[in-house]
Amino acid sequence: MTTQDPIYKTDALIAEDIDAYLEAHQHKTMLRFITCGSVDDGKSTLIGRLLYDSKMIFEDQLAALESDSKRSGTQGEEIDFALLVDGLAAEREQGITIDVAYRFFATEKRKFIVADTPGHEQYTRNMVTGASTADLAVILIDARKGVLTQTRRHSYLVHMLGIRHVVLAVNKMDLVGYEQETFERIVADYRAFAESIGIESFTPIPISGFKGDNITGPSENTPWYDGPALLPLLEEVEVEDTRDQAGPFRMQVQWVNRPNLDFRGFSGMIASGQVRPGDPVRVLPSGKTSTVARIVSLEGDKDLAVAGESVTITLADEIDCSRGQVIVASQSPLEVADQFESTLVWMDENELVPGRAYWLKIGTQTVSATVAEPKYEVNVNTQEHLASKTLDLNAIGIANVTTDREIPFAPYAENRDLGGFILIDKITNHTVAAGLLHFALRRAQNVHWQATDIGRDHHASMKHQKPAVLWLTGLSGSGKSTIANIVEKKLARMNRHTFLLDGDNVRHGLNKDLGFTEADRVENIRRVGEVAKLMTDAGLIVITAFISPFRSERDMVRGMMQPGEFVEVFVDTPLEVAESRDVKGLYAKARSGQLKNFTGIDSPYEHPEAPELRIDTTEMTPEEAADLIIARLIP
Amino acid sequence: MDTKTLTHLQRLEAESIHILREVVAEAENPVMLYSVGKDSAVMLHLAKKAFYPSPPPFPLLHVDTTWKFQDMYKLRDKAAADAGMELLVYQNPEAKERGINPFDHGGLHTDMWKTEGLKQALDKYGFDVAFGGARRDEEKSRAKERVFSFRSANHRWDPKNQRPELWRLYNARKTKGESVRVFPISNWTELDIWQYIHLENIEIVPLYFSQPRPTVERDGLLLMVDDERFPLAEGEEPVMRSIRFRTLGCYPLTGAVESEAQTLPEVIQEMLLTTTSERQGRAIDHDQAASMEKKKQEGYF
């Protein structure tokens, strides 16, 4: 082994003058990076080598490593560094989650956090997760193989996530005889590809993780290479926080600190810029302005705080400001919008349902949001655009996102904290997607709400009634339409102004363009919800009879209405009973396979968890059911 | 414009404070697990900083085994009082009644006092989020642990069902009955912890510093005879040795190292020159290779 003397030997200073050592080390900076490549590229060997050369391996670990190397290593009598970090390979054999592992090492100048993720296509979400916090990416190439499909995939993802520093580590140079031509051919190939996807610059280094060439210092084996070795480069690269400090001041309010009536502090991490007492600021989206009074800390007030620090500030004026709002430099406010074009990386086993409401968390704010059908999906291997109606696990696509209220944001390319978001499923609470906001859609800015003089209260009082939505949900054949019809007749006799929206009827007109896929069912209910809302604004009592099988959409409609106006009525009929009735002969068709996506047969029905009313149709007649519903409405 | 370069400790501190505040903003009833060790000391200090001038808006919970070092009990009560926080001490009543101890019961000791005790305490007070001081560099299976780690209603950890964590965004939403363990100092290393204690002047248990203490040797571990419950073999006499501890747990399970380091810089010096990894002194990890992963699935922190 051509082991060079590690230049990171610090034992002497530690032993001779520990105080000087500590003083020096308190001023280290930190760099987070990601290594992209597969086991075959020597990724684990490289990470193991970095840990070893920076003395992060203890004697007991080294002893274990030496014995493991002899037993199961692939490097003969030499130490197999890959075994140090190859937890992932072992996991794959055992069928445990392949995941992101974080590893730590330090040199004289820096502490490093390495996100170690598997490189195969089925682990795109893991790579995206690891890359989301990285300042730099090391893209590994096997010198014998050159630029491969996976190299292109990794580079595309790294660029998409806005990592500005890319190191192209051409590995296993020892196996190609340290040939300059091989290295230069690979670099030229890569440069052509990198430019085509918008990577402006990268640093190529010929290395051998196994032999240690160009890791800690220049290698004698590559006299033709005069660029930096890997570790010195990692020590010098500019970290993201320093760059963020140059931008205008932005802080997402995380928590309001109120120990007593005399103190009101706003806590959060500064996403961009700097702040000093006396700086004029604006709170978004409200737009209220004030000036910074103090930057408060346990050690006493500070006169400066910068991007990347978690701080508590107070303002000179008593203005409204709460979690989720953003405090910004008053002369350079952020854009505020509710419709965006975004990139989504889908991370869940369940695919995207366009139109469904998800929680969207951006910074410290969580809002409800829907995603439109993707404009296109990206093939991560070829970067081709594909037509797609949805996104499934590991898919990446471009889609419009609409939030239920306006949020302050910055394009992701400008700032990760202000432009990166996650989507959360409202039922399972899983994180289903990562998203990058690109720009606000004009539509949102140009369409304003027109105030009208005759309001909803006026409409309702003319009819001497309180508007409501009686939302009947249940299986096909449960009796929704029958019951709804009786309810409307009874209400008409009581001089109530009503309207009945029936599932089948609506599909003849308003929704005749929709089918029965999950996405179409969501859109069906959304439109009916909007119509019902207009009708309640007009003062009507709306009765609806829709299967409406998904909890998320029923909750979405509930959210559209005024509190208390939505009455969920679960028409509860066991599947066997509904199927035996089979008034329209639909169950028979579904069972024979002529009808797809039929609720209860090959499409799920999510029963309500806490409906306002539950009607057991095996226990009561439609007439009795109608009376029960009316009693709930008019006590 | 002047820029201010943040050191690695400042960035780690900012990240931890961000995590602590995020939990307080989103959780219903959080608690901080406090084990009195150096990692707990740093976590508590970060909490004081995160919420100043308010005291940290959650209680401290010590899941006690009754077998901790006497010095730990002293600092525990003082640290809570200094921070102005409520201290909850929980001891598993069944373990107490059955007299479970590390000398006679081996692995059952950890299981009943710590694993079961923790579950019982969380259920008793209805805590939905518990802060813990675990670090990713401690051990292989922790390297892939999330900052927000979800547990089912019966406190099990399902490694296949953990949520991706992107940027600084943590999804803290949970269904009823589920709880979350949150590790604010995930990205700190042992050296970071010591440097921060030094820099911030954080009070830690004197056991981390060398002093002559009564010891006996058992199964290759150097144990301290901390009280009269320590059963001595016939003819066995405690020997005074200059020792200190790199990690602290139950005194009969925690191996000491012989050392002359009496100040923090000396401790750090020794740590940097030392050639064995931190967890060697803990009996709990020696059971079997994948022991930590297994214990975690069962609900050990």
Side-chain angles (χ1 to χ4, degrees), chain A residues 84-99:
Chain A
L84 265 181
V85 290
D86 241 355
L88 296 177
E91 286 166 11
R92 186 162 357 160
E93 283 157 29
Q94 295 160 23
I96 306 175
T97 337
I98 309 229
D99 221 305

Side-chain angles (χ1 to χ4, degrees), chain B residues 31-255:
Chain B
V31 68
M32 179 171 280
L33 298 184
Y34 182 69
S35 71
V36 212
K38 64 184 191 306
D39 301 318
S40 279
V42 166
M43 187 165 61
L44 175 59
H45 185 76
L46 290 164
K48 288 194 226 171
K49 284 193 155 191
F51 302 103
Y52 178 83
S54 298
F58 41 77
L60 293 172
L61 171 65
H62 182 224
V63 179
D64 188 21
T65 64
T66 71
W67 289 93
K68 301 290 173 188
F69 293 90
Q70 294 311 309
D71 276 352
M72 292 172 74
Y73 291 117
K74 273 185 224 154
L75 181 65
R76 177 190 72 186
D77 299 344
K78 178 174 184 297
D82 288 352
M85 296 166 75
E86 184 187 3
L87 172 71
L88 304 170
V89 175
Y90 188 86
Q91 299 171 344
N92 178 354
E94 194 195 341
K96 206 170 182 177
E97 196 186 296
R98 287 173 55 187
I100 302 295
N101 68 74
F103 297 105
D104 304 322
H105 300 101
L108 190 64
H109 170 76
T110 303
D111 182 54
M112 289 201 59
W113 283 112
K114 292 183 80 173
T115 311
E116 283 307 313
L118 174 60
K119 289 187 210 171
Q120 290 172 2
L122 295 180
D123 287 344
K124 177 181 171 187
Y125 295 102
F127 293 123
D128 61 338
V129 180
F131 291 111
R135 309 190 319 266
R136 282 171 174 156
D137 80 322
E138 278 176 84
E139 190 259 344
K140 240 182 180 177
S141 89
R142 289 227 198 260
K144 61 181 180 183
E145 175 70 277
R146 300 288 195 270
V147 174
F148 280 54
S149 182
F150 283 76
R151 307 300 157 108
S152 64
N154 46 15
H155 300 285
R156 285 192 74 96
W157 181 64
D158 176 4
K160 288 184 186 164
N161 231 345
Q162 298 295 306
R163 299 169 181 178
E165 289 176 345
L166 295 114
W167 301 292
R168 290 164 181 147
L169 291 175
Y170 300 100
N171 169 5
R173 302 189 83 88
K174 56 200 174 300
T175 14
K176 214 169 161 54
E178 279 179 339
S179 62
V180 196
R181 311 285 159 88
V182 174
F183 306 109
I185 56 169
S186 282
N187 286 329
W188 296 58
T189 62
E190 187 184 7
L191 178 58
D192 297 330
I193 293 286
W194 283 120
Q195 282 192 321
Y196 192 72
I197 288 172
H198 179 52
L199 202 65
E200 299 278 310
N201 224 343
I202 299 170
E203 185 172 9
I204 52 170
V205 185
L207 293 161
Y208 286 114
F209 303 108
S210 178
Q211 211 177 290
R213 296 183 169 104
T215 60
V216 295
E217 239 183 298
R218 290 273 169 89
D219 306 324
L221 287 183
L222 204 52
L223 299 179
M224 175 176 163
V225 183
D226 194 48
D227 61 31
E228 67 296 340
R229 292 180 295 175
F230 196 106
L232 296 168
E234 238 185 67
E236 195 178 30
E237 275 286 325
V239 181
M240 292 302 281
R241 290 183 173 96
S242 272
I243 56 157
R244 64 178 191 88
F245 295 85
R246 293 180 65 190
T247 64
L248 291 175
C250 293
Y251 80 79
L253 292 173
T254 310

Side-chain angles (χ1 to χ4, degrees), chain A residues 14 28 30 59-60 91 97 99 102 111 132 245 254 257 274 299 310 323 361 412 417 429 431, chain B residues 2 4 8 11 14 18 22 26 49 51 54 143 146 159 167-168 170-171 187 192 269 275 277:
Chain A
I14 294 168
K28 271 191 283 194
M30 186 161 93
E59 209 167 68
D60 53 334
E91 286 166 11
T97 337
D99 221 305
Y102 294 92
K111 167 179 170 142
S132 72
Q245 283 184 40
Q254 196 179 11
N257 194 337
Q274 307 188 333
E299 296 89 29
S310 284
R323 174 171 166 86
K361 185 169 185 185
Y412 179 82
D417 290 328
N429 290 323
T431 301
Chain B
D2 307 340
K4 173 170 152 190
H8 73 296
R11 282 186 73 183
H18 175 78
E22 201 58 16
E26 299 219 340
K49 284 193 155 191
F51 302 103
S54 298
R146 300 288 195 270
W167 301 292
R168 290 164 181 147
Y170 300 100
N171 169 5
N187 286 329
D192 297 330
Q269 183 174 37
T275 49
S277 57

Side-chain angles (χ1 to χ4, degrees), chain A residues 530-590:
Chain A
E530 292 287 356
V531 169
K533 180 171 179 285
L534 290 176
M535 288 180 167
T536 58
D537 284 348
L540 294 177
I541 294 167
V542 187
I543 308 151
T544 70
F546 290 82
I547 299 173
S548 47
F550 306 123
R551 231 170 266 148
S552 316
E553 281 65 61
R554 295 192 302 263
D555 287 347
M556 172 177 76
V557 177
R558 182 188 292 273
M560 291 177 188
M561 307 303 163
Q562 300 292 318
E565 281 185 6
F566 185 81
V567 180
E568 190 174 23
V569 180
F570 178 27
V571 183
D572 191 1
T573 304
L575 180 64
E576 317 78 81
V577 178
E579 193 169 354
S580 70
R581 292 180 193 155
D582 206 5
V583 197
K584 301 170 196 158
L586 296 175
Y587 282 96
K589 276 193 190 166

Side-chain angles (χ1 to χ4, degrees), chain B residues 257-270:
Chain B
V257 289
E258 290 199 74
S259 161
E260 296 302 327
Q262 294 178 11
T263 65
L264 257 176
E266 285 168 5
V267 166
I268 298 174
Q269 183 174 37
E270 228 176 62

